[in-house]
Amino acid sequence: MKRTIAAAMAAICMLTAAGCSRSESMGECTVEETEAQEQTGAAAGETEAQEQTDAEAANGLSLTFTTEERDWYNEDKTRWLLHGEYTSVRIGGEGYEAAAEKIGAWSEADEENFWKAADESSSDGEQVSLWDEEGGTDYYACSMYQTLESARADRQVISLVAMSSSYLGGAHGSYGYTGYTFDASTGELLDIEDLMTDAETFRQTATEAIVQKLQETYGDGLFEDYADTVAQIWSRDGGPKWYLNETGIVFLFDPYEVGPYAMGAAQVTLPYADYRADLAEQYTSPESAGEGFGKISAGTATVVTAGDDAKLSVYLEAEDEYGGGPLTVELGDQKLAGERFDRLTDVYLIRTADGRAYALTTADYASEDYVTNVFDVTEGRLLQTDSLSNAAISDTGVGNTELLSLRVSLNVLGSYTSRMDYQLNEEGKMVRQSELYQIDMVNGQYRKITTAREIPVTVDGEPGTLAAGTEICITATDNDGTAVYEDTATGETGEIHYTKGDGDNAWTLYIDGVSEYDCFDELPYAG
């Protein structure tokens, strides 16, 4: 019987993840602790969230994100105290050397501060008891995360948005968003004042617009004094929280800032086009920046596409009170309406070096049943060129104009989330770059499975077996009969060959004719 881990962990904090060991490749799940880690009870792990080679990066701007995981235990390792994850970024591409150096230094310093805070907070896990002690060490008591996502990257700016979350005891965790925008030429971190040519006018008109848009979006959910809070963002320490995307300037408000926790984090996008007279063109005209990519604010998105004056909008044309409806793309007077989805999760505009422009969308039927679509919007035309089921834009967003890393949902021996690189070719098709999907080792602790019987395998092309009681993790699969595994004790790798059932057993895999549920003690819940 599968363990419903995802639902249980959602009760702990806003995001779910568990430790995997230190590794240079995404699929590795070997446990290796240094002497210092054994003394503190911490174990570290690293996964490539998006992989680009140096040669690929040299062709143009690229953002590579790496997620490191660490875990803290008590002295006798009987309790898992805290789990931490941090996503760092590396900049690549010819002409972006200064930005690569300064943004790299910023990311390293921020990461050092994060792990220092996590180490200091690990002691909170001694006092927090979320699970019955008889449940063993399967669950961590506390957690800290910082994820990072691309919002816009081109010759003008590199803008990132970080989401920090933690659970250190109490009724629920806490979370919030922070934007970081850098000059793409110099790598300097920009202040919002750097964007303004007429600061006084912009602050006044922006304040009024933010107040109005918050009211339109959140209505009675806002605190009574929310307008006063908005007016004060310019004078508080650090100023407003913001970042740039393809559409405009996005202003961020954490839970409890303008509304209760239940309302969540609020954000408002002010389109560049509405404030041309008050903003510096060198940072706020992505349509003239040439090659690059940027996130579009879903639902209210209006951007000017490269090469013409046609405006692009992407949204769900609501059919019910919950906002679900057909995925709709408008470009000038053209309109395409496709399948109905419950929500639109991500939209990016990608501009390639040779002048092509594509809108890349991810929408969800329901319960993480994703579809990613590609629309060619070059020079005023509107044409859907590709569609991939069970695929979503990576958690870190787009990192390259042509090589795209997508998150793909699978169900192979309990492994649910995988990643695959796709090349966006000249026809707007997503061309798979590998035979194997790399299993996402976030939640790696829960992706370890133990054989319940002897299982036939292939090691270095030769037939072999895994003895009953062997702990392994699945690291890759072709999703068509072959799963790559690693023995967590020895590090030995090999292949497990399986077949898919049919009829009432269509969702069950079989190894040498034996059901997967009889081959392993337990299989993780796959979604």
Side-chain angles (χ1 to χ4, degrees):
M1 183 176 182
K2 292 185 177 182
R3 296 193 312 194
T4 312
I5 288 177
M9 296 312 297
I12 296 179
C13 61
M14 300 306 298
L15 296 177
T16 61
C20 187
S21 62
R22 187 165 192 79
S23 168
E24 292 305 317
S25 62
M26 180 165 55
E28 199 166 337
C29 197
T30 307
V31 176
E32 295 178 357
E33 293 184 338
T34 66
E35 182 178 351
Q37 288 168 342
E38 290 172 352
Q39 290 173 352
T40 62
E46 193 168 287
T47 62
E48 282 292 336
Q50 219 169 322
E51 296 179 342
Q52 279 102 22
T53 66
D54 291 339
E56 290 159 350
N59 293 331
L61 175 61
S62 68
L63 278 59
T64 302
F65 297 91
T66 302
T67 297
E68 182 176 350
E69 306 178 29
R70 296 184 187 179
D71 295 285
W72 284 259
Y73 301 87
N74 62 356
E75 289 187 4
D76 59 5
K77 303 258 180 104
T78 57
R79 267 193 90 189
W80 188 2
L81 301 180
L82 182 140
H83 176 77
E85 290 186 19
Y86 182 90
T87 302
S88 58
V89 64
R90 187 176 74 248
I91 308 300
E94 186 175 352
Y96 297 95
E97 291 80 8
E101 181 179 357
K102 290 195 175 181
I103 296 175
W106 164 83
S107 185
E108 289 176 7
D110 193 62
E111 181 174 11
E112 182 179 352
N113 291 334
F114 174 86
W115 289 125
K116 181 180 179 181
D119 189 52
E120 293 172 350
S121 299
S122 63
S123 59
D124 292 334
E126 294 279 10
Q127 286 78 43
V128 178
S129 178
L130 298 180
W131 306 97
D132 191 328
E133 291 292 340
E134 295 180 0
T137 59
D138 282 347
Y139 304 100
Y140 50 80
C142 296
S143 60
M144 290 182 64
Y145 302 86
Q146 180 157 314
T147 63
L148 202 61
E149 180 184 17
S150 66
R152 183 182 146 197
D154 51 42
R155 287 288 178 185
Q156 295 180 352
V157 300
I158 297 171
S159 195
L160 309 170
V161 56
M163 197 278 277
S164 300
S165 67
S166 64
Y167 179 83
L168 301 174
H172 56 70
S174 62
Y175 71 101
Y177 294 87
T178 305
Y180 301 96
T181 299
F182 304 87
D183 184 301
S185 298
T186 66
E188 294 292 339
L189 182 63
L190 297 176
D191 186 273
I192 194 166
E193 302 289 331
D194 297 322
L195 307 183
M196 305 177 194
T197 56
D198 187 337
E200 183 176 353
T201 300
F202 178 78
R203 284 194 293 264
Q204 180 180 342
T205 56
T207 299
E208 294 171 355
I210 293 170
V211 169
Q212 180 181 344
K213 288 177 180 290
L214 285 173
Q215 179 61 40
E216 292 172 354
T217 304
Y218 302 99
D220 294 339
L222 295 162
F223 290 147
E224 289 185 3
D225 62 349
Y226 83 97
D228 293 334
T229 300
V230 174
Q232 293 164 8
I233 61 176
W234 310 100
S235 58
R236 69 185 180 186
D237 290 344
K241 296 175 69 174
W242 62 281
Y243 65 90
L244 302 182
N245 67 11
E246 195 74 17
T247 307
I249 307 174
V250 184
F251 289 87
L252 304 165
F253 299 90
D254 291 338
Y256 293 123
E257 195 168 359
V258 293
Y261 185 86
M263 195 188 83
Q267 65 177 38
V268 168
T269 303
L270 301 186
Y272 299 123
D274 293 350
Y275 301 90
R276 290 296 186 203
D278 306 325
L279 296 176
E281 184 178 358
Q282 70 265 32
Y283 297 131
T284 60
S285 56
E287 70 276 6
S288 64
E291 181 183 15
F293 47 89
K295 193 168 188 177
I296 296 176
S297 299
T300 59
T302 300
V303 298
V304 179
T305 61
D308 59 56
D309 293 329
K311 292 186 177 180
L312 171 69
S313 295
V314 184
Y315 57 94
L316 295 185
E317 191 161 14
E319 292 182 331
D320 53 50
E321 60 181 309
Y322 303 106
L327 174 62
T328 303
V329 182
E330 292 188 34
L331 182 62
D333 59 359
Q334 303 172 81
K335 181 176 179 180
L336 287 179
E339 294 182 90
R340 184 196 182 282
F341 294 94
D342 280 352
R343 62 190 180 119
L344 182 60
T345 62
D346 282 297
V347 183
Y348 276 83
L349 182 68
I350 299 172
R351 303 182 304 277
T352 65
D354 59 2
R356 290 174 288 134
Y358 297 98
L360 188 70
T361 72
T362 293
D364 184 9
Y365 285 122
S367 187
E368 298 188 350
D369 190 5
Y370 294 111
V371 175
T372 292
N373 291 307
V374 183
F375 299 88
D376 187 342
V377 294
T378 307
E379 296 181 350
R381 67 170 170 262
L382 177 58
L383 175 68
Q384 182 169 354
T385 57
D386 209 352
S387 181
L388 296 177
S389 298
N390 301 317
I393 294 173
S394 169
D395 297 331
T396 51
V398 171
N400 190 296
T401 57
E402 295 185 3
L403 186 67
L404 306 172
S405 179
L406 299 186
R407 189 175 74 249
V408 183
S409 299
L410 303 174
N411 185 2
V412 177
L413 303 180
S415 297
Y416 181 52
T417 305
S418 71
R419 296 184 187 274
M420 174 61 69
D421 284 343
Y422 293 86
Q423 185 78 32
L424 184 59
N425 68 14
E426 293 182 357
E427 288 74 41
K429 300 293 185 182
M430 304 284 281
V431 181
R432 196 165 127 183
Q433 296 298 289
S434 171
E435 294 183 2
L436 295 177
Y437 297 89
Q438 297 299 313
I439 301 301
D440 190 343
M441 292 315 299
V442 171
N443 283 330
Q445 179 77 9
Y446 302 121
R447 298 309 180 196
K448 296 175 182 178
I449 54 180
T450 302
T451 57
R453 59 192 297 155
E454 187 175 82
I455 292 179
V457 297
T458 300
V459 179
D460 295 330
E462 299 295 328
T465 58
L466 288 177
T470 304
E471 184 185 74
I472 64 172
C473 62
I474 305 300
T475 62
T477 179
D478 63 0
N479 200 33
D480 192 33
T482 299
V484 180
Y485 73 87
E486 179 182 310
D487 187 320
T488 62
T490 67
E492 182 181 74
T493 61
E495 296 178 352
I496 297 173
H497 299 281
Y498 63 86
T499 57
K500 297 182 179 181
D502 52 25
D504 293 339
N505 299 315
W507 297 101
T508 302
L509 305 183
Y510 294 85
I511 301 172
D512 200 25
V514 180
S515 165
E516 59 183 317
Y517 304 112
D518 294 324
C519 290
F520 300 95
D521 288 343
E522 286 183 306
L523 287 174
Y525 178 68

